[in-house]
Amino acid sequence: LKSPYHGGHLEVIVGPMFSGKSEELIRRVTRAVIARQRVSVFKPALDDRYHDTAVASHAGRTVNAVAVRDAADIRAHLSGEGTLLHAQGDTLPDVVGIDEVQFLDAAIIPLALELADAGVRVILAGLDQDFRAEPFGFMPELLARAESVEKLTAICTVCGAPATRSQRLIGGQPARFDDPVVLVGAEESYEARCRVHHELRG
Ligand code: ADP
């Protein structure tokens, strides 16, 4: 299964929550494994250490992954202490996948580019917009630098149209624009919504 890019490249999968980003990442990774390629999958850890875990889609499919705190953890995992990635040659995996990439740090950008330059197929999945429908952190730069961008839609929970946004609800009510991204103790949930039905409380 040869890459059309003749070597390393960067693929980005974006969309709102429930749009199937994890499913698509799992699909691509599974095919690479079937092709006997060496694959490493990472995702942000909720706690403070890195450990074995899995990427799971909302529909329940999973693939093994390593939970990491930041881009430096991924670099350490791939290269061992202080080693340059491009000097790794054959020891680098063929494919590196990362889910929920928006929750890592901006150092993921130079890392992804370095891996692609070193011949790795890098597949990154994450949110393109936050709950306010604003571009999510460093994601715009990843989109700009990728060879391939797939923008997925979910289904709007109100009208059934393609949903491009993540509706944040706090106690059942639309969140405010300036509500903190992490709200301790509040009962919050998210729904996929289209442009018309995405709401922010004034
Ligand atoms: P993401 O990684 O983008 O959050 P997942 O791959 O985890 O998405 O989950 C996608 C799955 O979520 C769909 O295949 C479907 O089974 C389920 N799902 C639940 N709610 C919705 C919705 N509103 N729109 C689309 N899919 C939904």
Side-chain angles (χ1 to χ4, degrees):
L1 216 79
K2 228 165 152 34
S3 152
Y5 295 101
H6 296 287
H9 65 274
L10 176 57
E11 300 171 27
V12 178
I13 304 163
V14 291
M17 293 177 71
F18 303 105
S19 63
K21 302 181 298 298
S22 300
E23 269 174 10
E24 180 59 21
L25 176 67
I26 292 167
R27 190 184 77 87
R28 294 185 194 185
V29 161
T30 302
R31 288 169 59 87
V33 170
I34 291 169
R36 296 193 188 83
Q37 296 185 329
R38 290 164 303 167
V39 176
S40 293
V41 181
F42 300 93
K43 71 172 201 181
L46 297 175
D47 49 26
D48 203 29
R49 64 210 168 89
Y50 78 106
H51 58 89
D52 290 339
T53 179
V55 166
S57 76
H58 285 109
R61 281 193 75 193
T62 63
V63 74
N64 292 338
V66 177
V68 293
R69 287 162 303 192
D70 51 23
D73 263 357
I74 297 178
R75 182 180 292 277
H77 188 87
L78 292 174
S79 69
E81 282 317 303
T83 317
L84 291 173
L85 287 178
H86 68 259
Q88 292 296 296
D90 285 348
T91 68
L92 283 177
D94 301 300
V95 178
V96 168
I98 309 176
D99 200 15
E100 303 275 21
V101 67
Q102 79 282 346
F103 289 141
L104 294 173
D105 55 314
I108 204 69
I109 295 171
L111 176 63
L113 298 176
E114 214 178 308
L115 286 168
D117 288 344
V120 177
R121 176 186 177 197
V122 182
I123 312 173
L124 306 180
L127 295 169
D128 50 347
Q129 299 167 35
D130 64 18
F131 72 92
R132 302 168 297 191
E134 295 293 320
F136 207 120
F138 55 81
M139 293 302 288
E141 183 168 353
L142 279 182
L143 300 188
R145 293 189 179 275
E147 271 84 357
S148 130
V149 174
E150 181 149 25
K151 203 155 169 163
L152 300 173
T153 56
I155 301 296
C156 176
T157 54
V158 178
C159 72
T164 53
R165 299 180 174 190
S166 304
Q167 174 70 52
R168 184 184 191 197
L169 299 166
I170 298 173
Q173 294 297 312
R176 292 190 169 82
F177 186 89
D178 53 6
D179 275 336
V181 173
V182 178
L183 248 183
V184 180
E187 200 192 308
E188 64 170 348
S189 57
Y190 290 88
E191 290 182 359
R193 297 279 181 95
C194 67
R195 178 184 290 274
V196 172
H197 292 115
H198 176 254
E199 290 177 87
L200 286 166
R201 209 144 37 119

